């Protein structure tokens, strides 16, 4: 089959940015999601780095999100409910931004055209949590009003056992998220993989809900979401390699 008649394996492309202080593990979270591995040694991000991952959104997959593994009594995940609906897929275009103050003028430009953001802090460093308000204010000054934001407390693996290094409680983070209009709070460990897919999927599912609610102009790159190209009759024909990374637009 020729490439001109085949459809890409996604229905939508959404631009997400990972923001937060340097050293919180933003790059490690992106690598864990996109490549399924943990890199213990990672150079400090200079400017912006890029990754992508295609994920299922909407039913039937979304019906299993957040379901307790004990619900079916055998310790495994429940079977997806039967549905005649075609599973939709979203390509998450992930922009991992530098957390150092030196690069803020550069990284802020990438907030434009983002439909989702992971606001990351290190649960073992209280100072990084204190700075999330500044990061959120910067984001909301530049990004579109409907941007979906989730608060992510990374390095949960360091908050276990006798050598618990936690400096920010779950209650503190959840209260901040609630008071600041953030979708929710999720704790992650880029090292173990705990919570990583959940954090990204929560953002993807809310973006999908917003698509269905008509909140985005899918033909306007500033919305942060691209949908099926008019007249193509199939899935989105836009390829990420065709985008100008320096433009700060969608994906």
């Amino acid at each position: 089959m020729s490439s001109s008649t085949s459809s890409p394996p996604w229905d939508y492309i959404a631009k997400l940015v990972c923001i937060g202080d340097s050293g919180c593990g933003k790059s490690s979270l992106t690598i864990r999601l996109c490549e399924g591995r943990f890199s213990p040694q990672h150079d400090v991000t200079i400017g912006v780095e890029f990754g992508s991952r295609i994920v299922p959104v909407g039913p039937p997959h979304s019906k299993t999100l957040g379901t307790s593994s004990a619900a079916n009594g055998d310790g495994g995940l429940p079977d997806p409910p039967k549905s005649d609906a075609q599973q939709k897929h979203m390509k998450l275009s992930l922009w991992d931004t530098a957390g150092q103050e030196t690069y803020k003028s550069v990284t802020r430009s990438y907030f434009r055209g983002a439909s989702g953001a992971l606001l990351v802090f290190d649960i073992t460093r209280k100072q990084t949590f204190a700075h999330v308000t500044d990061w959120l204010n910067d984001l909301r000054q530049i990004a579109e009003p409907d941007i979906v934001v989730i608060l992510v407390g990374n390095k949960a693996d360091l908050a276990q056992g006798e050598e618990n290094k936690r400096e920010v409680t779950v209650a503190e983070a959840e209260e901040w998220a609630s008071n600041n209009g953030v979708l929710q709070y999720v704790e992650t460990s880029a090292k173990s993989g705990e919570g990583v897919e959940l954090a990204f999927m929560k953002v993807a599912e809310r973006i999908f809900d917003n698509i269905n609610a008509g909140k985005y102009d899918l033909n306007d790159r500033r919305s942060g979401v691209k949908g099926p190209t008019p007249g193509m009759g199939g899935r989105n024909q836009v390829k990420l390699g065709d985008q100008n990374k320096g433009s700060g637009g969608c994906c």
Side-chain angles (χ1 to χ4, degrees):
M1 182 179 293
S2 66
S3 59
S4 61
T5 58
S6 62
S7 296
W10 63 83
D11 300 278
Y12 305 99
I13 308 178
K15 176 182 176 181
L16 274 58
V17 291
C18 289
I19 64 176
D21 282 3
S22 181
C24 290
K26 300 185 298 298
S27 297
S28 295
L29 287 171
T30 300
I31 291 172
R32 169 62 75 176
L33 184 78
C34 297
E35 303 178 21
R37 64 182 179 87
F38 174 67
S39 177
Q41 300 295 329
H42 188 84
D43 294 334
V44 173
T45 302
I46 299 176
V48 175
E49 294 182 1
F50 174 79
S52 66
R53 166 85 180 268
I54 297 174
V55 298
V57 288
H61 177 267
S62 61
K63 300 299 183 183
T64 66
L65 282 181
T67 304
S68 171
S69 61
N72 60 346
D74 61 5
L77 292 174
D79 293 330
K82 295 180 180 179
S83 173
D84 294 330
Q86 180 184 8
Q87 180 69 65
K88 299 293 186 181
H89 291 84
M90 182 179 293
K91 186 163 190 173
L92 304 181
S93 170
L94 308 175
W95 299 80
D96 166 29
T97 66
Q100 293 175 303
E101 185 70 31
T102 307
Y103 302 113
K104 265 199 172 183
S105 60
V106 176
T107 58
R108 282 192 186 101
S109 66
Y110 287 88
F111 296 171
R112 294 186 182 91
S115 54
L118 282 83
L119 179 49
V120 185
F121 71 94
D122 179 349
I123 65 172
T124 70
R125 290 191 293 149
K126 186 92 171 185
Q127 185 179 23
T128 65
F129 178 65
H131 292 162
V132 294
T133 301
D134 293 334
W135 282 104
L136 183 62
N137 289 338
D138 284 348
L139 180 71
R140 286 181 168 162
Q141 286 176 9
I142 298 172
E144 295 300 301
D146 286 330
I147 188 169
V148 177
V149 184
I150 192 168
L151 181 65
V152 176
N154 194 34
K155 304 190 181 181
D157 54 287
L158 298 180
Q160 300 171 0
E162 295 181 359
E163 296 184 8
N164 188 334
K165 298 181 179 180
R166 179 187 291 276
E167 293 185 359
V168 181
T169 68
V170 172
E172 284 179 288
E174 289 180 340
E175 181 181 13
W176 184 93
S178 176
N179 291 340
N180 287 276
V182 169
L183 177 60
Q184 73 178 79
Y185 173 60
V186 175
E187 290 200 344
T188 62
S189 168
K191 184 175 183 179
S192 69
E194 174 192 347
V196 177
E197 294 213 0
L198 176 64
F200 283 95
M201 286 303 302
K202 287 290 185 181
V203 176
E205 287 289 346
R206 179 56 64 90
I207 292 172
F208 183 67
D209 289 343
N210 288 346
I211 291 172
N212 290 331
K215 292 188 176 181
Y216 305 119
D217 179 350
L218 300 183
N219 297 313
D220 185 350
R221 65 185 302 175
R222 292 173 299 180
S223 72
V225 180
K226 285 186 179 293
T229 304
M232 296 303 291
R235 291 180 169 180
N236 191 1
Q237 300 296 312
V238 177
K239 292 182 173 57
L240 294 180
D242 297 332
Q243 298 295 323
N244 180 356
K245 287 187 178 182
S247 66
C250 172
C251 316

